[in-house]
Amino acid sequence: MSSETEQFHTIARVGEIPEGAGRAFDVDGVMVAVFLEGGRYYAIEDYCPHQGAPLSDGVLFDKSVTCTWHGWRFSLEDGRHLDGSRSRVPTFPVRVVGDEIQVNVD
Ligand code: FES
């Protein structure tokens, strides 16, 4: 097993995260929000930099997630705040191996 493989953690199976929705997972002590949007998985930290809401509850639209507390929007691709501030949410590599969804938080 390569070191790259060891850094990925299986967090769910394909089908357990519905299209257009997010789920929260504790990955090696990091709370991660994993989304399925447009047939692609995204993983970002499950913590809004505004006041700490769980972004896994957010609303998805066009590769972005909108925080349910005060409406800040973040890119699912790079974690950028899309409404002007310099805030950024950490993003993590996510992949599918067989029917396993895997995230790397290292
Ligand atoms: S806590 Fe997310 S927008 Fe305020």
Side-chain angles (χ1 to χ4, degrees), residues 20-70:
R23 294 284 184 272
F25 301 92
D26 181 335
V27 186
D28 235 9
V30 179
M31 287 310 294
V32 178
V34 181
F35 303 97
L36 178 60
E37 211 258 345
R40 190 177 152 192
Y41 292 97
Y42 300 89
I44 68 174
E45 193 170 75
D46 191 24
Y47 184 86
C48 180
H50 181 220
Q51 290 186 3
L55 291 172
S56 53
D57 291 343
V59 178
L60 301 182
F61 177 74
D62 193 21
K63 299 179 185 172
S64 72
V65 57
T66 301
C67 181
T68 55
W69 284 14
H70 314 98

